[in-house]
Amino acid sequence: MAASATSLPSPLSLALLLLLLGSMSSLSRAAEVLVGGAANGGAWKIPSSQTADALNSWAESARFRIGDALVFKYDPAQDSVLQVTRAGYLACNVSGPVAQYVNKGGEAKAVLDRSGPFYFISGAPGHCGKGQKLIIVVLSPRRAPAEVSSPAPAPAETEVPAVAPTSGAARLGLKMGWALAAGSLFGVFGLGLF
């Protein structure tokens, strides 16, 4: 009876498999996000007077990642979506937008392709001034909430004068070493840690 030989995958093929799985994992995080949320009906429209800042309040409560796509739902005969600069957002300036999104089937999609702020306004006359505008902040990959941590403090650097290597200094160093060792043993045995 012949024995069958099984071979293990090479380290290179394992590395490629891990790289592929890692890239698929990052792609799976990208999502289509309905602007305003489902609770708002997901409509890109002038907010009511009671909720004038509703779109930005919604955006502040959400987390956006690179690769996510915003979905704006609206009637293309009555509205549009423009991506503008910060100055264009503050002034509701519709001329010279960074991007204008095409409405296909009642919705327009804007892919968030970088970290940082994105500014959107309505292109319909007067709509931006009535609050139909939105700021989205996309998280940087290294600053995602699960990965946020404060850096360890830098070690304090102190300058200690060098001691010349003499026999007296060597004895002092030896005595200090024995004192530290004895103190450590006392701490371990004296406190019942051993």
Side-chain angles (χ1 to χ4, degrees), residues 150-174:
S150 59
E157 292 187 27
T158 57
E159 290 189 27
V160 178
V163 178
T166 63
S167 59
R171 278 194 305 267
L172 177 63
L174 186 58

Side-chain angles (χ1 to χ4, degrees), residues 57-192:
S57 295
W58 164 80
E60 289 170 3
S61 68
R63 297 289 176 259
F64 301 97
R65 292 190 171 101
I66 296 172
D68 285 352
L70 298 177
V71 179
F72 295 85
K73 290 193 172 206
Y74 62 92
D75 180 356
Q78 298 180 12
D79 214 338
S80 66
V81 178
L82 304 176
Q83 181 182 340
V84 295
T85 63
R86 182 176 188 276
Y89 174 86
L90 294 172
C92 288
N93 185 356
V94 297
S95 63
V98 173
Q100 182 170 358
Y101 297 96
V102 177
N103 186 313
K104 294 179 181 175
E107 63 185 39
K109 293 182 183 177
V111 176
L112 305 171
D113 60 355
R114 61 173 171 76
S115 61
F118 286 78
Y119 302 93
F120 299 95
I121 63 173
S122 170
H127 286 207
C128 177
K130 293 177 182 172
Q132 191 178 352
K133 56 186 184 175
L134 173 66
I135 301 173
I136 298 290
V137 178
V138 177
L139 298 172
S140 168
R142 66 179 181 269
R143 294 188 186 206
E147 300 170 13
V148 172
S149 65
S150 59
E157 292 187 27
T158 57
E159 290 189 27
V160 178
V163 178
T166 63
S167 59
R171 278 194 305 267
L172 177 63
L174 186 58
K175 286 181 185 177
M176 293 296 282
W178 280 110
L180 285 172
S184 296
L185 285 175
F186 173 74
V188 169
F189 290 108
L191 295 175

